[in-house]
Each structure stands twice: as structure tokens, then as C-alpha cells.
Amino acid sequence: MKFQIPKGLFDILPYGMNEKWKCIDYWQYVESVIHETAHIFGFKEIRTPIFEKAELFDRGVGATSDIISKEMYIFKDKADRSLALRPEGTSSVMRSYVENPQNFSKTPKLYYIAPMFRYERPQAGRYRQHHQFGAEVIGIETPEQDAEIIAMLWQFFERLNLKNLELNLNSIGDAGCREKYKSALIQFLSPNFAKLSKESQIRFEKNPLRILDSKDQNDKELLKKAPSILDFLSSSSSDHFKQVCSLLEQIKIPYVVNSNIVRGLDYYNRTVFEILCTDLGAQSAIGAGGRYDGFTEVFGGKPQPGIGFGSGIERIIHTMISQGFQPPENTSPFIYLIPLDQKSSDFCFLLMNTLRKLKVPVDMDLEFKKIASSLQKANQLKAKFSLVIGSNEIESNTAKLKNMLSRTEETVSLNQLEKIIKDHWKKNEIQRLS
Ligand code: HAM
């Protein structure tokens, strides 16, 4: 019986022949830009386990959220403990910080690249295992911190050359502002309850603010006349928001204020944001986050301010592909050696060993196949050069170094091979890095 991968999951593959977005070259490239951007912004990487106690997310994300009420992968271990595959990163990072504060600086700036698991209905851009670039800053309350975290996400997308992005920004104030707003929203929606979509009617009972997130066209129309949360902000939340907007303007990050952004996780307060790519279909959010002041208290710590974001790597790669970006292929061998008999194989094996010590990526046919199929393999591996060595080459002490792209050949002495290949490699590296 052939096994099939579970629904909503995918392999990340060495070539990704038919589905480019699964090709490892994209993933490694995006990951390298994540590390580079995080380093420039002074963030340190954190890695937390893939599963945690289920209760951590119940308390962290909120029992009425879709993630907790419908989407968590929960299982019992042999000791009957209830564990959950991590649906998001912020709760785990807060748990780690509160559990061992001595392992962190006073105001840590943290980032992660990690798989997340949600039992959602799979579709393009929505998976049951997805990967996030996430960042969290704990302990800093100023609007400058909000602007810095948004700037990091924005610059990351700029480094990837992504186009057609829209930063949507909102403030949902503190708990007091939200209580007042909730009453006003309920008052506005009550006479229209029957017109709301089924989903929004359920949200009306459980968490009315989430109705603002509705994708239903009728709901959207109705909500156009709804009161705006921005009119219910306390003066400190309002000043904070204005300052965030002003800082973004100063560093020339374009944004639109969208008072319908409330986010689907319960821990947010004040600044919230989403970055959408208008080229993507329904699943257009390529990054989102916000402030979560006091969240550490939920995990037994002293209340601390915090802010962060999560950005879906699958959606980023879909965007790169739809916008025509080709990642660099850095895993191809520079040269592929093709020996034709045992003696030539001994020669090639030693040459390969020396070249690898000189850091030249080299590979070799270890099976003595026919020249045609070995050259085909060199082509498939996208080697820049190939070198065929047989008894004639060993006898004459010369061989033909073939440039696989231009199809030109250069006759080289076997004694000089190491030096010649190394020189070609250096030239290639200079070109690649320039
Ligand atoms: P989130 O909005 O649930 O936030 O997810 C963050 C990003 O992950 C989304 O904007 C999207 O790009 C991607 N994403 C989410 N679900 C899926 C899925 N099923 N398939 C593919 N991509 C997906 C959080 O998770 C928060 N922890 C973010 C945060 C960090 N807020 C503060 N700090």
C-alpha cells in the first residue's frame, strides 16, 4: 500500500518540479533573509518545542477564538496528559520567558522560524501545517517599539522584493475601551441580527468584535455603518496610536487605517496590524500582529508589555512566484566528475576529496554509468562544469573540462586540475556575490 500525506500537509522538496513553491531553494532563500533581517534589527532566535500543554494555548489564545474552539490538534500522551501541537508562537515564547526569566535580557527581542498546526479547511495559502517567521519583543511599551516591529516586517518584505503590499493598521485600545465599544457595536447590530451571516450570529453571542472580521459580503455591507473602535479609544491609547502612525510616516512606510482589523486571537490590545498582498486570493494576509500588553500575567509572570508579528512563509513564497522571483540555486555542484573505469574513479575520488576541502562544491558519478546518462545527471544537478576521465585521459595526462551552460570545452592538464577548477570557482563566486 502506498501512503499518502495527510490532508493540508506538504513536503518541501529538493527540486519541486511541478510545484515550484515546495522547492527548498525558495525556503532556504527566505530563511536566509529572515536571519539577515532579524540580525540587522538586533533580534535573537528562540526555538520552543512543537507541542506544549494544551491548556497553555487555551489560556493564551482564548477559548472563544477559532484556533482554540475548532482548530487545535490535541492528543493525550501515555500518561494521559493533554498536549497540543503548537497553533501559534506567541504563547510558547511567553511561557518560556516567564518560566526562566534569567535566560532572557530585561527587554528581549526574539524571533523564530517554526511550523504551526491548525485544523483548518485546506485551500491555496491555507494549510494544516504552515510555517511562520515570528517576532516578539517583551518589556517595551513605547510607540517606537510598535514602529520598529512593523518596520522589521516591512523591510523583510522589501528585501524579498515583494510588491503590491498594503499595511492595514488599527488600535483596539485597552480592555476599558473595548468594553464600551462592544456595547455600542451590540446596540448597532441587535436590530440587524437576522440579517447577519450564521457565523456572525454565533460570534454575536461569543465575541461580537470578531464580527468585524467577517468575510461575508452582506455582513461587510452592514458593517460599513457600524461605529468605529477608534472613536472609543482612551486618550492614552489614542495618543499612542497617533504616535505610531506619525513614526511610520517619518520612516516612509505607507499604511491605511482600517478600524475593522480586530485579529482572531484574544491577547491583543492597542496597536494591531495586517500586511496584505493584493496579488493573493482569499488568503491574502502575509503577516499580522500587534501589541499584547500584560500577556505575561496569563502565564504566571509579572505583567509586561509586549508586541510581535507572525508571517506565513508559504504565502510569502506564493507571492514571490506570482511576481516572477527566482531564488539563487546554491546547492548545485560546481563540477561533476565522471570516471569511466576503476583507475579513473580512484583519480576522481581523490580529486573530489581535495576540492571539497578547498570548499568547492563537487559531486561525482560513483556508479560508472554510460557517459550519456552521467552527463544527463550533471545536467539535472545543474552542475556548472563536468569532467570525463577515462584511460585515455589518464594516459595523455589531459582531460576536457566542459562548461555545461555554454557547451564549450577547455583542454586541461591533470596536474593543473585542482588549480584550474579552484580559479574557475573563485571567479564564479565573485560574480555570484557581486
Ligand atoms: P495569525 O494571524 O494567526 O497570528 O498568523 C500569522 C500569519 O501566519 C498569517 O498572517 C498568515 O500569513 C500565516 N498563517 C496563519 N494560518 C495559516 C495557515 N493555516 N496556512 C498558511 N499560513 C497561515 C499569529 O499566529 C500570532 N501569533 C502572530 C503574532 C505574534 N502576534 C503577536 N506576535
Side-chain angles (χ1 to χ4, degrees):
M1 186 186 79
K2 253 195 203 171
F3 280 102
Q4 280 188 334
I5 194 164
K7 228 176 149 190
L9 271 59
F10 57 90
D11 296 315
I12 300 170
L13 300 160
Y15 301 108
M17 298 293 192
N18 302 324
E19 290 171 291
K20 268 196 196 172
W21 69 276
K22 296 181 181 173
C23 173
I24 189 70
D25 290 343
Y26 284 94
W27 290 80
Q28 288 184 336
Y29 177 69
V30 171
E31 285 162 15
S32 73
V33 178
I34 292 174
H35 292 302
E36 184 188 46
T37 311
H39 173 70
I40 289 168
F41 276 77
F43 283 62
K44 294 275 282 181
E45 188 177 358
I46 180 165
R47 299 185 187 187
T48 60
I50 272 177
F51 63 85
E52 301 261 5
K53 291 182 181 161
E55 200 196 334
L56 179 84
F57 301 109
D58 284 352
R59 282 217 251 150
V61 182
T64 61
S65 65
D66 286 353
I67 294 180
I68 302 305
S69 60
K70 304 190 228 166
E71 296 169 0
M72 273 234 286
Y73 278 94
I74 300 187
F75 61 97
K76 291 267 173 149
D77 72 1
K78 289 192 175 152
D80 208 35
R81 284 176 285 239
S82 182
L83 301 167
L85 294 183
R86 167 181 61 197
E88 65 103 36
T90 315
S91 304
S92 303
V93 172
M94 293 306 121
R95 190 264 312 132
S96 176
Y97 172 75
V98 170
E99 192 176 359
N100 279 309
Q102 71 279 9
N103 290 337
F104 293 82
S105 71
K106 254 194 155 168
T107 53
K109 291 164 74 165
L110 308 163
Y111 79 100
Y112 46 89
I113 302 174
M116 307 292 166
F117 304 85
R118 298 182 189 178
Y119 191 84
E120 295 194 270
R121 195 165 49 77
Q123 54 175 266
R126 190 158 77 186
Y127 308 96
R128 289 186 172 165
Q129 172 177 316
H130 73 276
H131 299 76
Q132 278 186 25
F133 162 31
E136 318 288 351
V137 179
I138 308 168
I140 301 181
E141 202 171 1
T142 58
E144 280 73 8
Q145 187 55 70
D146 305 31
E148 184 196 50
I149 203 104
I150 295 171
M152 176 155 93
L153 186 58
W154 190 260
Q155 272 198 27
F156 163 62
F157 292 147
E158 279 184 340
R159 269 164 212 277
L160 291 173
N161 235 334
L162 303 191
K163 307 272 182 308
N164 306 329
L165 302 186
E166 188 181 285
L167 165 62
N168 282 242
L169 197 62
N170 191 22
S171 173
I172 54 169
D174 53 34
C177 314
R178 279 196 301 282
E179 262 324 296
K180 283 189 205 139
Y181 176 65
K182 205 159 98 183
S183 309
L185 187 66
I186 290 175
Q187 211 173 9
F188 167 80
L189 290 172
S190 294
N192 297 306
F193 182 82
K195 291 190 203 145
L196 287 172
S197 65
K198 275 246 150 58
E199 176 111 36
S200 291
Q201 288 183 346
I202 298 170
R203 285 178 175 173
F204 186 90
E205 305 297 336
K206 288 193 187 164
N207 189 350
L209 256 62
R210 292 276 342 266
I211 295 176
L212 299 176
D213 245 3
S214 173
K215 304 278 177 286
D216 181 273
Q217 250 347 90
N218 278 341
D219 290 355
K220 278 186 169 177
E221 208 44 49
L222 200 72
L223 287 165
K224 281 186 182 159
K225 295 200 180 102
S228 160
I229 187 146
L230 292 170
D231 295 328
F232 291 78
L233 296 185
S234 63
S235 63
S236 77
S237 286
S238 173
D239 290 349
H240 184 101
F241 187 56
K242 281 185 196 142
Q243 181 62 3
V244 175
C245 294
S246 154
L247 286 163
L248 291 177
E249 279 154 32
Q250 286 173 50
I251 56 173
K252 302 205 165 24
I253 296 183
Y255 66 89
V256 284
V257 173
N258 178 349
S259 61
N260 283 350
I261 302 266
V262 283
R263 311 278 300 122
L265 304 93
D266 280 2
Y267 46 67
Y268 292 108
N269 44 50
R270 300 217 253 179
T271 314
V272 286
F273 56 91
E274 283 181 6
I275 298 183
L276 311 178
C277 175
T278 49
D279 292 5
L280 293 176
Q283 307 304 321
S284 62
I286 55 170
R291 201 161 254 297
Y292 44 80
D293 298 340
F295 194 32
T296 39
E297 207 173 6
V298 171
F299 306 100
K302 279 199 218 119
Q304 292 272 9
I307 184 164
F309 66 73
S311 172
I313 299 179
E314 291 75 8
R315 293 184 193 176
I316 292 173
I317 293 176
H318 286 310
T319 308
M320 290 164 76
I321 290 172
S322 77
Q323 297 181 353
F325 179 86
Q326 279 290 340
E329 279 162 16
N330 49 12
T331 48
S332 315
F334 182 65
I335 176 161
Y336 191 69
L337 307 177
I338 305 172
L340 299 180
D341 54 34
Q342 187 59 56
K343 205 167 165 198
S344 332
S345 174
D346 294 345
F347 175 85
C348 287
F349 201 78
L350 282 182
L351 176 63
M352 176 167 74
N353 195 46
T354 313
L355 288 173
R356 282 178 173 168
K357 284 190 178 169
L358 295 170
K359 297 192 180 159
V360 181
V362 46
D363 213 338
M364 166 180 166
D365 177 6
L366 301 173
E367 297 174 296
F368 313 156
K369 278 187 278 192
K370 290 202 172 118
I371 296 191
S373 67
S374 300
L375 282 171
Q376 205 180 6
K377 175 96 186 269
N379 252 327
Q380 194 190 33
L381 291 172
K382 299 195 174 135
K384 298 259 182 314
F385 287 91
S386 65
L387 185 75
V388 178
I389 308 254
S391 53
N392 288 346
E393 281 75 14
I394 299 277
E395 237 165 68
S396 66
N397 199 33
T398 58
K400 286 190 172 129
L401 186 62
K402 181 171 179 181
N403 183 318
M404 299 294 286
L405 200 69
S406 63
R407 308 253 147 213
T408 50
E409 288 185 332
E410 171 187 356
T411 305
V412 291
S413 148
L414 297 193
N415 307 331
Q416 296 281 303
L417 258 180
E418 265 170 46
K419 185 180 172 321
I420 292 170
I421 294 171
K422 204 177 137 200
D423 287 350
H424 277 301
W425 163 247
K426 272 193 189 155
K427 251 192 260 160
N428 183 74
E429 278 301 273
I430 291 169
Q431 265 178 13
R432 191 174 69 86
L433 298 172
S434 66

